[in-house]
Amino acid sequence: QVQLVESGGGLVQPGGSLRLSCAASGLTLDYYVIGWFRQAPGREREGVSCSSSSDGSTYYTDSVKGRFTISRDNSKNTVYLQMNSLKPEDTADYYCAAERGIPDWCELLPNTYDYWGQGTQVTVSS
């Protein structure tokens, strides 16, 4: 049984930081792309970042480049999203997702991901 569990969300002020975690079970992280997505009220789901095991390939959407960092700890079967310099527009429910494969480059295409977590809420507000 594959399970992805997000944690680390919460309420922070603009300019603050959070680290989200995605703990995976029932799969070996080395063989999967992990993507982070977010969805704000009234908005479509948006890709944030992804990571492939192929030479540590990572990708970030333009709005978070320079502020967010995705990383893996294979010994813990966990993926992290470090979020710095948070802005109110980062407010959303954040989801991690897993896609079988080790591509040269990962993609933020929601329909290609096989497994999804339940999400963790991030609120950036004064």
Side-chain angles (χ1 to χ4, degrees):
Q1 178 76 7
V2 173
Q3 187 176 23
L4 303 175
V5 179
E6 302 96 334
S7 62
L11 173 65
V12 297
Q13 293 185 331
S17 298
L18 285 173
R19 189 180 75 160
L20 306 183
S21 298
C22 176
S25 61
L27 60 81
T28 300
L29 206 57
D30 307 90
Y31 303 127
Y32 285 81
V33 169
I34 296 294
W36 284 98
F37 298 81
R38 65 187 181 187
Q39 188 166 20
R43 302 285 300 277
E44 293 186 348
R45 185 166 296 181
E46 174 190 27
V48 176
S49 181
C50 60
S51 169
S52 172
S53 293
S54 178
D55 294 325
S57 178
T58 59
Y59 175 81
Y60 302 89
T61 194
D62 286 344
S63 63
V64 308
K65 286 181 179 177
R67 300 189 297 121
F68 291 11
T69 303
I70 191 170
S71 61
R72 293 169 175 251
D73 186 339
N74 288 335
S75 68
K76 298 180 179 179
N77 223 33
T78 300
V79 175
Y80 304 96
L81 185 68
Q82 179 67 45
M83 306 186 296
N84 299 326
S85 301
L86 284 162
K87 305 175 180 179
E89 50 263 45
D90 296 318
T91 296
D93 291 332
Y94 283 72
Y95 301 86
C96 66
E99 176 185 2
R100 175 79 175 185
I102 314 176
D104 291 337
W105 305 281
C106 64
E107 296 178 299
L108 291 169
L109 301 173
N111 291 341
T112 69
Y113 285 78
D114 302 303
Y115 305 104
W116 291 81
Q118 293 299 307
T120 186
Q121 184 174 314
V122 173
T123 302
V124 185
S125 176
S126 298

